[in-house]
Amino acid sequence: MCGIIGYVGGKQAAPVLLKGLQRLEYRGYDSSGIAVVDSDNIDVIKTTGKVATLCEKANGGKKLNGNIGIGHTRWATHGAPSDVNSHPHLSADGRFCIVHNGIIENFAELKSDIIAHGLPFKSDTDSEVIAQLIQYLYDGDMISTLRKVMERVTGSYAVGILSADAPDTLYAIRKDNPLVVGLGQNENFIASDFAAALEHTHNFVQLNDGEIARLTSRAVTFFDNNGNTVEKTPYLVDWDISLAEKDGYPHFMLKEIYEQPKAIKSTLSPRIKGDNIILDKIDFSANNVNRINRVNIVGCGSAYHAGIVGKHFIEKYCRIGVDCILASEYIYSNPITDNRTLTIVISQSGETADSLAALRLAKKCGSHTIAIVNVIQSAIAREADNVLYTYAGPEIAVATTKGYTTQVAALYLVGLKIAKVKHIISDARYSELLGELALLPDKISEILKDTDKIKQYAEGYAEHKCVFFIGRNTDYAASLEGALKLKEISYIHAEAYAAGELKHGTISLIEKGTVTLALVTQSDLYSKMLSNIKAVQSRGGDVLAISSYNNKQIGEEADGLLTIPDCDDDVTPILTAVVLQIFAYYIAAKRGCDIDKPRNLAKSVTVE
Ligand code: F6R
């Protein structure tokens, strides 16, 4: 999705902005631009294509003088990717300039109103309306003008604003779209995420919905929607900027796959104290837990898949009905959610618009909400009643890897905690599972030590047009994630099916040479899976099984075998996920795909 960086300080702004935009590239974009205030003029350079093209056009920033500016990477929603539709956008008189993330829902109506008042538009975007509206409503005072702008626009927005009349001041407004303010030494920043400003500061403040930020190099002031000043406490983001660099890996995705042992440890170890699970500040007293008669898990994409693994685990050990629901469906359903429902919203970025809307709906229905989130102080983390951070560190590749596995790990902790409080898990089983969780980082490392065989199979399948994934129960949940990973980064059509469903239709797609990955990690389902494998093979399909070391028979029956270290059946989804991530990665690499930034995708989906 779009990215924003804004700078005010003592340095030449343009190079800072360009560097910030490079840090935002991972979010997915099709064009970019920067604007700098030079004396009392606003100069803009923008272009379609990569930030590298913008850097060339701006001669590394040398073409623009001035110590204050805004930059943007655009992911087109309204209007095709083009130079003119790229941000920043100037008002008709060139005195105001904006960058915008989000969607202005009433832009058409505002646009015709403004055009009727004689202000011409240049682009097809919804965003330009903000620049024009500022000019149209300008009353000599930017704070009061921005309040009027916010009263008029509907939709979601994070906006960085320059005014030629205030050449040392940067402004920002937001509603339902992330925007942080970075506090430096005699320099300050606005950014759509920390990554853009992290090499300059680790101190951030969140701008809340309806608020305005006014930044000069020496001071930052916040205003609420009545124009009153608001005090805010900065927080520290202790992410190391090197975590947002490739560190010798060819792609962020591969680096992040390799970071999983550490990431899982960071999710688990602060919360496992001997035989006790302490889930931060969440009140899991018997009273609270016994009131829960239903759990809803909500998320999108991989976060939803993590939720399906969690559903199996929680239902098995807590004996509470769990629904795992796509956030985009949940918000337009009439969900069965009340004050005895526990709603778990899962989101790596913590900014996904559908998941945020689902969280708000669940709260409105009276549900207690827990967010499982990676990005600190993100909207979902702040709005949920409780938050469990996964502590996976920054995830830059668009396709999630450590984000997903740490979400699953967090769900295991929640499940075990509830089961223990409800006294429906034996002490022995509880301790056994805690022990299994603690071993996961080492077992992932074992997979990562030698990935040659996975790579070999992956490269062998790189020319296939279609790959199926099958499994039962948690293996089916893991199949869904494996298929998503493969399709999003390699563009090979991949589908996951519950293995028992094959015979109800899908099997008609199996023909000579069709590849099926069969996940076989649930010991009580081996024989059922074996029958499914045979059914595929007898129609000419090739089966690559994924199973544990000790499952020799599957190896003999399937056409190929990839193994995960022996482990408890309940925790296999994390290990199979790692194998499937590597599999997808090497297929995509062989096909020469843009692995970290797959086409049409964005990292943080902040629009519905
Ligand atoms: C897939 C992927 C997406 C995200 C989804 C939700 O690899 O990354 O499917 O899982 O967009 O994102 P978050 O977790 O940030 O809410």
Side-chain angles (χ1 to χ4, degrees), residues 300-303 347-349 352 398-400 407 484-485 488 605:
C300 303
S302 297
S347 175
Q348 186 284 130
S349 63
T352 301
V398 164
T400 183
Q407 287 162 355
L484 176 60
K485 214 83 307 169
E488 66 182 334
V605 186

Side-chain angles (χ1 to χ4, degrees), residues 27-47:
R27 293 165 69 97
Y29 70 105
D30 43 54
S31 51
S32 58
I34 53 174
V36 170
V37 186
D38 183 8
S39 329
D40 70 342
N41 261 333
I42 303 176
D43 299 324
V44 177
I45 299 184
K46 50 190 191 174
T47 181

Side-chain angles (χ1 to χ4, degrees), residues 315-384:
E315 285 188 336
K316 179 170 178 181
Y317 287 105
C318 308
R319 305 312 298 155
I320 305 176
V322 183
D323 261 350
C324 183
I325 315 153
L326 288 163
S328 53
E329 289 293 305
Y330 180 85
I331 51 181
Y332 296 113
S333 64
N334 185 359
I336 302 184
T337 302
D338 61 23
N339 62 1
R340 296 193 62 188
T341 310
L342 171 66
T343 305
I344 303 177
V345 179
I346 309 177
S347 175
Q348 186 284 130
S349 63
E351 299 288 355
T352 301
D354 291 319
S355 305
L356 181 59
L359 170 74
R360 289 175 178 166
L361 177 59
K363 285 181 79 169
K364 204 163 135 199
C365 295
S367 170
H368 187 84
T369 54
I370 297 179
I372 294 181
V373 164
N374 188 35
V375 177
I376 290 149
Q377 287 289 323
S378 50
I380 292 174
R382 284 179 295 134
E383 290 194 28

Side-chain angles (χ1 to χ4, degrees), residues 273-318:
K273 309 264 182 246
D275 235 13
N276 240 339
I277 296 175
I278 314 257
L279 293 179
D280 307 19
K281 297 199 172 106
I282 309 179
D283 181 359
F284 274 115
S285 59
N287 240 355
N288 278 352
V289 166
N290 290 328
R291 271 182 55 76
I292 302 169
N293 64 4
R294 172 187 201 93
V295 177
N296 285 341
I297 305 180
V298 193
C300 303
S302 297
Y304 166 72
H305 296 156
I308 302 178
V309 177
K311 167 188 160 71
H312 283 285
F313 191 82
I314 296 171
E315 285 188 336
K316 179 170 178 181
Y317 287 105
C318 308

Side-chain angles (χ1 to χ4, degrees), residues 243-255:
L243 285 172
E245 280 162 3
K246 282 192 203 146
D247 211 12
Y249 285 88
H251 296 98
F252 280 111
M253 182 178 176
L254 193 62
K255 176 176 177 246

